[in-house]
Amino acid sequence: MNSFLNFDNFITPKFITILYWIILAVVALSGLGLMFSGNGFAGFLMGLVVILLGTLFTRVYCELLMVIFSMNNHLKKISEKSDV
């Protein structure tokens, strides 16, 4: 409990994973909505592009956020080793 109150352990990486799946579902539903919106072939292609690029950009963004937290963990380990 003390490490939680002193921000020694982060809970944000767990939320990033949940947020990733929520955004992925929104991207998929938006893309499907565009694909079958009745705008013909152009709407279908736009929906496909939204699904492909939205999935890619969502993954890259969430991975970049996770890298920040991973760097913090590694820096903390390095700091603990140098203190000994």
Side-chain angles (χ1 to χ4, degrees), residues 40-71:
F41 189 66
F44 185 82
L45 284 179
M46 283 297 291
L48 196 59
V49 168
V50 165
I51 290 174
L52 294 176
L53 291 181
T55 303
L56 178 69
F57 289 140
T58 301
R59 178 67 185 211
V60 168
Y61 179 71
C62 288
E63 282 184 9
L64 287 174
L65 290 175
M66 294 297 282
V67 164
I68 293 170
F69 286 99
S70 176
M71 286 172 31

